[in-house]
Amino acid sequence: MNSYDRIMVHHPAFNLNGGSGVSYSDIKGKRIWMNGGFSWRLAAHEIGHSYGCWHANTWLVTDGNPVSPPQPVGTGTPDPRGYSDWFDIMGGNVYANSTDAAAIDFNEQYKHQLGWIPNRVNTLTSGNYYNLKIYRCDDPNALASSSKAGYFAVKFSKDATYDYWIGYRRNFINAAQGAYVKWAKKTNPQTYLIDWVPSTNDPKSGGYLDAPVPVGSTLFDGAISIHPTSAGQDTNGDQWIKVTVKVP
């Protein structure tokens, strides 16, 4: 057994802590088991845990701030479901059972953690940054291009606990309309999608597909601001979004 990198066991469903359908993986370990159902998305999710990825969750605004721009992040709490970034393979990835199955993917923070985009993250310090170009993190052609200069994410510190990560996704229609903004814990790091329109968080009626910050809008978090300015593509078809960011 020591000669294998990962050991995955799939067995018929049995009752576990009051219910079946529960799977498990060591964080940064080799043991994985799946209770009952088996699918590529479930296997990818548990394998992600085994390489150190935590759940991809969502941050819920709770202080009643308006959803129309400019929008403060305000006070809030993590979604109690624990993994409700529906875009992400490390989240609930509920759309994997629909025609959007191929759209489920790891976010750019996890891709960096996994070593897939090691030198393609633009890390910012204090200052004002204008029209930073971010390429799609869910475009296999762009990810495979080793010669194209460019970034798949922008990262900067929010506070002592979290970093901001800004990306761009096009596999979901609404995600193409804005920047994919998250917090990531500095310790785990678990990611938290910032939901631009927090009133529509039921996955059965659209989920967080309207979560990205729209082009022309501004997300404020104290002295931090994130403003997507435009979206487009290069002559070779690689798609991008540009953002202006203020980091105090």
Side-chain angles (χ1 to χ4, degrees), residues 87 134 136 166-170 172-181 196 209-217 226-231 240-243:
F87 298 106
I134 306 172
R136 281 180 59 186
I166 308 172
Y168 189 43
R169 305 186 90 148
R170 288 295 301 262
F172 294 89
I173 294 174
N174 285 10
Q177 299 175 359
Y180 177 58
V181 181
W196 181 254
L209 290 179
D210 54 12
V213 180
V215 169
S217 303
I226 300 170
H227 177 68
T229 57
S230 61
W240 46 260
I241 194 167
K242 290 183 179 180
V243 297

Side-chain angles (χ1 to χ4, degrees), residues 23-242:
S23 299
Y24 172 84
S25 174
D26 291 331
I27 300 292
K28 290 188 176 181
K30 66 193 306 179
R31 301 178 301 169
I32 302 168
W33 57 262
M34 285 178 283
N35 182 25
F38 181 89
S39 67
W40 72 265
R41 67 184 182 93
L42 180 58
H45 178 99
E46 299 302 339
I47 291 172
H49 281 317
S50 75
Y51 281 96
C53 297
W54 291 63
H55 282 147
N57 203 7
T58 300
W59 185 263
L60 301 178
V61 176
T62 59
D63 64 357
N65 282 320
V67 299
S68 58
Q71 166 139 329
V73 173
T75 60
T77 184
D79 190 310
R81 289 172 288 192
Y83 49 100
S84 61
D85 182 345
W86 309 119
F87 298 106
D88 204 273
I89 198 69
M90 298 310 299
N93 56 79
V94 295
Y95 299 103
N97 289 325
S98 70
T99 56
D100 286 325
I104 305 299
D105 200 354
F106 291 92
N107 66 45
E108 68 281 356
Q109 194 280 334
Y110 290 140
K111 288 184 176 180
H112 182 260
Q113 180 179 328
L114 293 167
W116 296 347
I117 51 171
N119 302 314
R120 308 294 281 276
V121 175
N122 191 357
T123 302
L124 310 180
T125 55
S126 297
N128 296 321
Y129 301 86
Y130 299 95
N131 293 316
L132 302 173
K133 182 184 283 189
I134 306 172
Y135 286 96
R136 281 180 59 186
C137 71
D138 59 0
D139 179 0
N141 293 327
L143 289 168
S145 173
S146 59
S147 60
K148 179 173 64 65
Y151 294 106
F152 292 103
V154 164
K155 172 191 175 185
F156 59 90
S157 179
K158 165 182 164 56
D159 51 32
T161 304
Y162 297 99
D163 290 324
Y164 262 103
W165 284 77
I166 308 172
Y168 189 43
R169 305 186 90 148
R170 288 295 301 262
N171 279 339
F172 294 89
I173 294 174
N174 285 10
Q177 299 175 359
Y180 177 58
V181 181
K182 296 162 301 304
W183 294 345
K185 282 189 174 180
K186 297 177 185 288
T187 51
N188 300 19
Q190 182 177 17
T191 61
Y192 298 87
L193 173 65
I194 306 302
D195 186 15
W196 181 254
V197 187
S199 62
T200 56
N201 61 10
D202 180 1
K204 294 181 180 179
S205 60
Y208 297 107
L209 290 179
D210 54 12
V213 180
V215 169
S217 303
T218 305
L219 186 151
F220 291 99
D221 182 3
I224 294 170
S225 65
I226 300 170
H227 177 68
T229 57
S230 61
Q233 63 182 37
D234 293 342
T235 55
N236 65 354
D238 290 341
Q239 296 168 316
W240 46 260
I241 194 167
K242 290 183 179 180

